[in-house]
Amino acid sequence: MTGAGSPHSLRSRLRSLRSAAFGADPSGARMERIRRSPNFVDGVFQNPVDARTRPSGGSMVEFAKIYFQKEARARRAPVGPIPLHPTTLADLARPPASGLRLTWMGHSSVLAEIDGRRVLFDPVWGERCSPFPFAGPKRLHPVPAPLADLGPVDVVVISHDHYDHLDLPTIKALAATDTVFAVPLGVGAHLERWGVSADRLHELDWHETAEVAGIRLTATPARHFCGRGLRNQQHTLWASWAVAGPEHRIYHSGDTGYFPGFRDIGAEHGPFDATMIQIGAYSAYWPDIHMTPAEGMRAHLDLQGGRAAGVMLPIHWGTFNLAPHPWAEPGEGTVTAALETGARIALPRPGEPFEPTAAVPAEPWWRAVATVPSEGWARLAAPGSDKGTNTGTPEVAPTA
């Protein structure tokens, strides 16, 4: 019997007092399903390959010194307003000629129009990726278009429950629509607390698939972690996503470190017309859970069976300051990786729609508002040069 003063009762009262932004812990039938998952071992979800999730001990002190150093802080932000695409809503009003169109809204938020359906990945329209409205990383540019003006969305896909991917005000706004949600196992507890009914949730373990409006969404492995509070129980899963329509296939990495499983995902669900790959917020202090641009390009090629096929859209950069690297470094690194591999990349400004099977944005737009690195920018090759990457990607060569 549980009394009013029992530890169980105290924990329940403390949970009830917790801010809504922290979400909810899985319990009941959801927790029982989590315990049955082959990916839940020794009381926590496990990565496909071991991963260190954060700095510790002396490295944490060293990281803090670097992160808060004045000159380094200046390099981690643009020097002027980030240029947004000015006609996002007008462009989206026209259906994609090819049947596939992607619109990067900043960070990892992407609206994908695929074979007549609309999929919204990791939507974050909030001002901060934080549980608090007064603290935490603040966005570096406005949202390219109001969420309510995007029009109907068939399914919202969430990769994991970190604040820069799962945003309370955004989910509450979407809960007021009739869209459904595809989320990793356990994440549904947060959404239900925020007003999403259970019958609108597709909550998937790795390798499980849901069909929504004629498209197939499969939760695929990723190498990351979860949690929205100081007491992180690792009871919600993280995932990447493979999405297949009748004619096209796309992939969203969520957050992940590099691991050999990309090849398996590509073999089973690819090749992809486009991949959306995390290439920002990396650091030597957490090398296992976020990819560098070079690792992101390697993942893209693995997903495509080792071929420079499809288009890679670099995501998880430009919008929030989350790591020690300079603000523009992920973009520049992706351009360099594309040059070295011959892969096609798309470089849209936030809010700029493009069709991956046609010409794609290729201008390194960030250079106009970024601190120039000490070695200078990579040099764009002259039109018609035999150097560089496939059609649609900037051709670059190292500066002298």
Side-chain angles (χ1 to χ4, degrees), residues 11 59 82 88 104 119 131 150 168 176 180 225 233 238 264 267 345 363 372 377 387 390 392:
R11 286 196 299 270
S59 65
I82 294 173
T88 302
W104 180 51
V119 182
L150 291 183
L168 169 61
V180 299
F225 68 114
Q233 296 180 308
W238 47 96
D264 299 326
I345 56 173
E363 179 67 27
V372 180
W377 299 119
K387 297 179 180 179
N390 294 344

Side-chain angles (χ1 to χ4, degrees), residues 113-131:
E113 299 165 273
I114 177 170
D115 299 337
R117 303 302 180 189
R118 306 175 92 226
V119 182
L120 186 57
F121 291 96
D122 283 356
V124 174
W125 260 250
E127 188 65 18
R128 295 182 185 272
C129 49
S130 166

Side-chain angles (χ1 to χ4, degrees), residues 30 158 160-161 166 183-191 203 236-237:
R30 177 176 280 115
I158 303 296
H160 63 297
D161 69 359
L166 182 63
V183 303
L185 188 55
V187 174
H190 300 310
L191 272 61
E203 198 165 348
T236 63
L237 188 58

Side-chain angles (χ1 to χ4, degrees), residues 369-381:
V369 292
T371 301
V372 180
S374 57
E375 68 275 15
W377 299 119
R379 186 174 66 247
L380 296 179

Side-chain angles (χ1 to χ4, degrees), residues 278-282 291-294 312 314-318 325-336 347 366:
Q278 172 263 306
I279 51 81
Y282 49 83
M291 293 189 290
T292 65
M312 172 185 163
I315 61 171
H316 201 265
W317 78 287
H325 61 65
W327 174 72
E329 189 175 275
E332 284 293 309
T334 303
V335 169
T336 299
L347 302 175
W366 56 85

Side-chain angles (χ1 to χ4, degrees), residues 214-229:
I215 58 175
R216 289 171 55 83
L217 305 108
T218 303
T220 47
R223 191 184 183 202
H224 200 57
F225 68 114
C226 65
R228 295 178 73 82

Side-chain angles (χ1 to χ4, degrees), residues 125-160:
W125 260 250
E127 188 65 18
R128 295 182 185 272
C129 49
S130 166
F132 309 110
F134 54 84
K138 187 175 182 180
R139 62 169 50 249
L140 299 173
H141 64 78
V143 291
L147 183 66
D149 292 351
L150 291 183
V153 172
D154 292 285
V155 57
V156 175
V157 175
I158 303 296
S159 64
H160 63 297

Side-chain angles (χ1 to χ4, degrees), residues 86-395:
T87 58
T88 302
L89 293 175
D91 293 343
L92 291 176
R94 297 184 293 270
S98 66
L100 177 63
R101 182 166 59 197
L102 302 180
T103 306
W104 180 51
M105 297 295 182
H107 202 57
S108 294
S109 303
V110 182
L111 176 66
E113 299 165 273
I114 177 170
D115 299 337
R117 303 302 180 189
R118 306 175 92 226
V119 182
L120 186 57
F121 291 96
D122 283 356
V124 174
W125 260 250
E127 188 65 18
R128 295 182 185 272
C129 49
S130 166
F132 309 110
F134 54 84
K138 187 175 182 180
R139 62 169 50 249
L140 299 173
H141 64 78
V143 291
L147 183 66
D149 292 351
L150 291 183
V153 172
D154 292 285
V155 57
V156 175
V157 175
I158 303 296
S159 64
H160 63 297
D161 69 359
H162 286 157
Y163 291 97
D164 57 322
H165 297 260
L166 182 63
D167 178 55
L168 169 61
T170 304
I171 296 301
K172 281 196 166 184
L174 290 165
T177 71
D178 59 0
T179 190
V180 299
F181 295 79
V183 303
L185 188 55
V187 174
H190 300 310
L191 272 61
E192 285 190 28
R193 184 180 184 191
W194 299 338
V196 179
S197 59
D199 61 356
R200 292 167 58 191
L201 288 172
H202 295 276
E203 198 165 348
L204 307 182
D205 203 345
W206 289 342
H207 309 297
E208 292 182 343
T209 297
E211 185 166 320
V212 177
I215 58 175
R216 289 171 55 83
L217 305 108
T218 303
T220 47
R223 191 184 183 202
H224 200 57
F225 68 114
C226 65
R228 295 178 73 82
L230 295 177
R231 193 172 65 91
N232 183 4
Q233 296 180 308
Q234 296 291 87
H235 285 178
T236 63
L237 188 58
W238 47 96
S240 57
W241 289 87
V243 178
E247 302 294 333
H248 296 95
R249 297 183 179 194
I250 56 177
Y251 172 85
H252 189 285
S253 72
D255 277 3
T256 181
Y258 179 81
F259 70 110
F262 292 115
R263 291 191 291 269
D264 299 326
I265 295 170
E268 185 170 356
H269 301 285
F272 299 100
D273 297 283
T275 67
M276 296 157 271
I277 303 290
Q278 172 263 306
I279 51 81
Y282 49 83
S283 172
Y285 293 101
W286 50 82
D288 302 331
I289 56 167
H290 281 157
M291 293 189 290
T292 65
E295 289 171 326
M297 180 58 70
R298 184 180 175 189
H300 167 75
L301 296 176
D302 285 354
L303 290 160
Q304 304 292 50
R307 298 175 296 113
V311 172
M312 172 185 163
L313 169 63
I315 61 171
H316 201 265
W317 78 287
T319 304
F320 297 105
N321 182 348
L322 302 175
H325 61 65
W327 174 72
E329 189 175 275
E332 284 293 309
T334 303
V335 169
T336 299
L339 168 64
E340 293 172 349
T341 61
R344 291 183 72 215
I345 56 173
L347 302 175
R349 291 168 293 174
E352 184 174 5
F354 70 94
E355 301 190 32
T357 58
V360 300
E363 179 67 27
W365 53 266
W366 56 85
R367 294 181 180 179
V369 292
T371 301
V372 180
S374 57
E375 68 275 15
W377 299 119
R379 186 174 66 247
L380 296 179
S385 167
D386 59 358
K387 297 179 180 179
T389 62
N390 294 344
T391 303
T393 300
E395 297 176 333

